[in-house]
């Protein structure tokens, strides 16, 4: 019996891959660039080559492959990804190897890992919300990421928090992502201050009145979206990850305070930091790989050694 799977977390700029054993040991971990500028066929070919390389690096043949990819996805196909340009790519197209493959949405796969291995371990219902270049969430319901009727569940970043607000890149107005993503915090400060290249972490740590205003609006937008989510789905915990969560108390404290005020007749769920950092997607993909191999029971007993860091850079 094969004792490892290939796990690959595919992002818009880079891919993180590894080999993970049935005991949860990360036997190998590597990164490669995602050739997005070369088109979707080049991206698929690069994924296939990376999988083959990883598989050849192991001792024996892998039991399965788990792939975490962005966009609309089912277990058997990458249906659509705007940032990678592909449409309706079968799981089998991502590898030339004769082994089972299972696909998962990148954020929901990270949420699966946090549920089984990280900050949500032991919880059945919580929200995993990585805040980075964009914002998307994974609703963990009864221990599993919920994809919705057509796979679009979790797009909390496009919840309209200020209906008459700024237009989002998606075409809507006032989306959470337009105000509270790391990219938007830097962009909105740069536009108001008349400077270029300012990053979110600089805004968070600044005492500039413009920075304070931009950050306050980001916190307000997050508290509004999280209050709505809480009232709809009653999560036991809200797990915040991604680059912006690295702000620590500067993010958690004001969001927690405002969330408590907005939930007048009920307690607010605790806000906790994600535990798996940059490894969440790859570890989640390894769980998919073992499920593809017919070993869905693997994962809960793993003792995972993880490094801190943002899920989304």
């Amino acid at each position: 019996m094969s004792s490892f799977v290939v796990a690959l977390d595919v992002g818009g700029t880079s891919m993180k891959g590894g080999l993970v054993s049935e005991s949860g040991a990360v036997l190998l971990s590597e990164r490669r660039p995602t050739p997005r500028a070369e088109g979707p066929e080049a991206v698929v070919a690069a994924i296939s080559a990376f999988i083959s390389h990883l598989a050849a690096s192991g001792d024996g043949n892998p039991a399965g492959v788990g792939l975490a990819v962005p966009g609309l996805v089912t277990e058997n196909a990458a249906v659509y990804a705007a940032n990678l340009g592909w449409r309706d790519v079968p799981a089998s197209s991502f590898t030339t190897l004769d082994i089972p493959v299972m696909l998962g949405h990148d954020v929901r796969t990270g949420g699966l890992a946090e549920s089984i291995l990280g900050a949500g371990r032991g919880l059945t219902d919580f929200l995993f919300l990585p805040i980075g270049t964009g914002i998307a969430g994974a609703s963990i319901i009864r221990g599993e990421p919920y994809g919705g009727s057509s796979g679009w569940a979790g797009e909390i970043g496009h919840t309209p928090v200020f209906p008459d607000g700024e237009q989002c890149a998606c075409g809507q107005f006032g989306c959470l992502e337009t105000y509270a993503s790391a990219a938007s915090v830097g962009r909105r400060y740069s536009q108001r201050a008349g400077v270029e290249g300012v990053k979110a972490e600089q805004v968070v740590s600044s005492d500039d009145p413009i920075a304070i205003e931009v950050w306050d609006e980001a916190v307000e937008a997050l508290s509004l979206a999280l209050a709505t989510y809480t009232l709809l789905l009653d999560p036991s915990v809200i797990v915040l990850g991604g680059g912006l969560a690295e702000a620590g108390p500067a993010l958690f404290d004001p969001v927690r305070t405002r969330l408590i005020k907005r939930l007048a007749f009920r307690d607010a769920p605790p806000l906790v930091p994600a535990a798996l950092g940059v490894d969440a997607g790859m570890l989640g993909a390894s769980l998919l790989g073992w499920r593809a191999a017919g070993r869905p029971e693997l994962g809960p007993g793993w003792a995972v050694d993880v490094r801190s860091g943002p899920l989304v850079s």
Side-chain angles (χ1 to χ4, degrees):
M1 179 181 294
S2 298
S3 59
F4 67 91
V5 294
V6 175
L8 194 59
D9 178 21
V10 179
T13 57
S14 67
M15 303 180 286
K16 182 169 186 178
L19 303 179
V20 180
S21 76
E22 58 187 7
S23 65
V26 179
L27 307 174
L28 175 70
S29 178
E30 294 185 9
R31 284 184 181 272
R32 287 189 178 185
T34 304
R36 180 174 57 174
E38 299 175 27
E41 292 183 359
V43 174
V44 173
I47 292 171
S48 178
F50 198 5
I51 290 172
S52 294
H53 163 75
L54 291 167
S57 302
D59 184 11
N61 296 318
V65 175
L67 274 176
V69 299
L72 183 60
V73 59
T74 70
E75 289 184 359
N76 302 309
V79 180
Y80 174 69
N83 63 339
L84 297 179
W86 61 40
R87 288 182 181 272
D88 300 319
V89 183
S92 58
S93 295
F94 288 105
T95 181
T96 58
L97 304 177
D98 186 22
I99 51 176
V101 181
M102 183 176 290
L103 301 179
H105 181 272
D106 53 356
V107 176
R108 289 197 291 272
T109 300
L112 176 67
E114 287 287 349
S115 173
I116 294 176
L117 307 171
R121 189 186 292 231
L123 304 175
T124 57
D125 294 82
F126 69 94
L127 171 65
F128 171 57
L129 190 70
I131 309 170
T133 304
I135 299 177
S139 300
I140 308 300
I141 299 176
R142 297 178 182 174
E144 288 290 327
Y146 178 67
S149 62
S150 58
W152 286 110
E155 293 294 342
I156 192 172
H158 297 290
T159 301
V161 289
F162 303 128
D164 297 321
E166 297 177 17
Q167 187 169 20
C168 179
C170 75
Q172 297 180 160
F173 289 86
C175 292
L176 170 64
E177 184 172 297
T178 303
Y179 290 86
S181 70
S184 292
V185 169
R187 172 187 57 79
R188 297 183 76 239
Y189 175 83
S190 295
Q191 289 175 342
R192 293 188 189 183
V195 296
E196 295 182 359
V198 177
K199 296 185 178 297
E201 56 264 31
Q202 296 171 283
V203 177
V204 174
S205 62
S206 175
D207 58 3
D208 179 338
I210 297 176
I212 292 171
E213 181 180 53
V214 167
W215 184 238
D216 182 76
E217 290 167 353
V219 167
E220 181 73 0
L222 275 168
S223 69
L224 285 165
L226 293 179
T228 299
Y229 185 94
T230 297
L231 293 169
L232 283 172
L233 288 174
D234 188 29
S236 57
V237 163
I238 295 173
V239 177
L240 299 182
L244 207 58
E246 296 297 302
L251 173 70
F252 283 82
D253 291 350
V255 172
R256 182 181 295 112
T257 297
R258 295 194 196 190
L259 182 58
I260 290 170
K261 289 182 178 179
R262 292 195 177 282
L263 299 173
F265 61 87
R266 57 152 294 163
D267 292 336
L271 302 183
V272 302
L276 301 179
V278 295
D279 294 314
M282 193 267 286
L283 289 170
S286 76
L287 295 170
L288 298 182
W290 281 116
R291 291 182 178 189
R295 303 290 303 281
E297 77 279 5
L298 296 181
W302 291 356
V304 179
D305 180 20
V306 300
R307 297 179 296 278
S308 63
L311 284 177
V312 183
S313 60

